[in-house]
């Protein structure tokens, strides 16, 4: 049984979406996949190929893990733990996703199960790799146990797992990965938007020194009640209009303004600001696509909207450059 789920890009509205403002996001042609097969005895075996982590657990051990991480998350909410300390290691995120689906849907477990996951979505770069991997696992397990596919169920369990890693997830990563396409997302609901038809490039500036959860907490501390979120909303709505009308100049103008706002809240490192400035000097537009970083000089993925690929500039900065296209389908069995 093999399931895949796409990664995502937020075209506009990072951070603002946490405060109930809209975000424009799209699923992309990078995906995570989970392969589910019959296992030995009564063990659940996980093999995270990309992270080089593998282990096997009884249901009782998974139940103990569920209790522990839920307690840790409550301690995070009360300020007793940092978000990085809720999980002890990455594999626990997927163990938790499995056990909450099994418990939540009252699935009968008799034989063992093997779960192997891998992904071509860069990790920790704002492309929704954890949400996509969780959803590929949930979708595969659900089909393996012949559960009716109810998108609302899978969205719920995906978000339950996501909060252990990101603290206060908006839900946009899980929603886009589950449903595919492009959408204006706000307060848990979405309006479909046509996938952009303009040329887009992704530039990998490197894995951020701060996690998404740490960036969200830092921004929340400084800007939760700031009026800047009104400006984010206006830019996102302008970009949505420009995408619908397929107007490159209007899209670029909105992206430039979005970059200014992200810089103001402190999530665009100085070196990435310099890179974006050079893109703009060449007539293009660029912005970070995830939470960015409040530490270091790398910020994950940067989206570039330009008539030509910035190949020479990326070489000078030592950044990896690729093209990107939308995925209209979302999480699915293949």
């Amino acid at each position: 049984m093999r399931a895949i789920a796409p990664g995502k890009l937020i075209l506009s509205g990072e951070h603002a979406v946490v405060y109930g403002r809209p975000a424009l996001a799209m699923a992309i042609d990078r995906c995570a996949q989970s392969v589910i097969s019959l296992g030995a005895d009564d063990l659940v075996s996980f093999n995270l190929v990309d992270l080089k982590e593998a282990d096997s657990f009884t249901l009782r051990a998974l139940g103990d893990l569920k209790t522990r991480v839920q307690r840790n998350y409550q301690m995070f909410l009360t300020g007793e733990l940092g978000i990085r300390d809720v999980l002890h290691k990455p594999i626990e995120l997927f163990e938790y996703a499995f056990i909450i689906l099994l418990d939540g849907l009252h699935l009968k477990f008799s034989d063992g199960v093997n779960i192997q996951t891998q992904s071509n979505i860069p990790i920790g770069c704002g492309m929704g790799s954890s949400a996509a991997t969780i959803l590929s696992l949930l979708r595969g397990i659900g089909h393996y146990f012949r559960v009716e596919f109810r998108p609302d169920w899978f969205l719920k369990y995906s978000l339950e797992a996501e909060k252990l890693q990101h603290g206060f997830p908006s839900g946009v990563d899980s929603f886009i990965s589950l449903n595919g396409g492009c959408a204006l997302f706000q307060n848990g609901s979405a309006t479909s938007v046509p996938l952009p038809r303009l040329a887009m490039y992704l530039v990998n500036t490197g894995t951020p020194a701060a996690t998404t959860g740490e960036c969200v907490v830092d921004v929340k501390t400084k800007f939760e009640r700031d009026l800047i979120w009104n400006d984010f909303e206006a830019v996102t709505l302008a970009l949505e209009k420009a995408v619908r009308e397929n107007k490159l100049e209007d899209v670029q103008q909105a992206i430039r303004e979005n970059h200014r706002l992200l810089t103001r809240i402190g999530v665009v490192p100085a070196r990435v600001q310099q890179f974006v400035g050079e893109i703009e000097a060449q007539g293009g537009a660029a912005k970070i696509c995830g939470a960015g970083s409040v530490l270091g000089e790398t910020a994950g993925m940067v989206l570039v909207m330009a008539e030509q690929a910035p190949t020479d500039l990326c070489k000078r900065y030592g950044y990896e450059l690729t093209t990107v296209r939308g995925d209209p389908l979302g999480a699915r069995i293949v």
Side-chain angles (χ1 to χ4, degrees), residues 283-301:
K287 60 176 285 294
I288 60 170
C289 285
S293 186
V294 293
L295 300 170
E297 289 299 315
T298 54
M301 289 295 174

Side-chain angles (χ1 to χ4, degrees), residues 228-247:
I228 195 171
W229 307 118
N230 295 334
D231 298 330
F232 270 100
E233 180 167 1
V235 166
T236 298
L237 295 178
L239 182 58
E240 179 207 5
K241 183 175 184 289
V243 167
R244 288 185 183 276
E245 296 174 353
N246 201 40
K247 293 182 177 179

Side-chain angles (χ1 to χ4, degrees), residues 260-313:
R260 308 275 182 277
L261 295 172
L262 291 166
T263 299
R264 279 174 56 192
I265 63 172
V267 296
V268 187
R271 190 164 189 265
V272 177
Q273 290 182 43
Q274 182 180 340
F275 173 78
V276 172
E278 294 200 46
I279 291 287
E280 292 182 354
Q282 295 177 3
K287 60 176 285 294
I288 60 170
C289 285
S293 186
V294 293
L295 300 170
E297 289 299 315
T298 54
M301 289 295 174
V302 167
L303 172 67
V304 176
M305 303 291 292
E307 293 184 355
Q308 292 185 330
T311 306
D312 293 340
L313 183 60

Side-chain angles (χ1 to χ4, degrees), residues 51 53 136 144 176 229 263:
L51 297 176
E53 284 193 59
S136 72
Y144 183 85
I176 292 293
W229 307 118
T263 299

Side-chain angles (χ1 to χ4, degrees), residues 145-214:
F145 282 99
R146 304 184 186 282
V147 174
E148 175 190 3
F149 179 58
R150 293 275 300 275
D152 55 327
W153 291 352
F154 287 87
L155 182 62
K156 171 187 173 183
Y157 294 120
S158 172
L159 286 173
E160 277 293 304
E162 274 280 278
K163 70 183 185 182
L164 302 181
Q165 183 158 315
H166 295 322
F168 306 102
S170 66
V172 65
D173 286 19
S174 296
F175 182 91
I176 292 293
S177 185
L178 180 64
N179 295 286
C182 183
L184 189 71
F185 182 91
Q186 187 170 16
N187 292 326
S189 62
T191 303
S192 180
V193 176
L195 279 166
R197 302 190 299 279
L198 302 166
M200 296 186 292
Y201 305 96
L202 276 183
V203 175
N204 191 347
T205 69
T207 302
T211 67
T212 296
E214 288 170 326

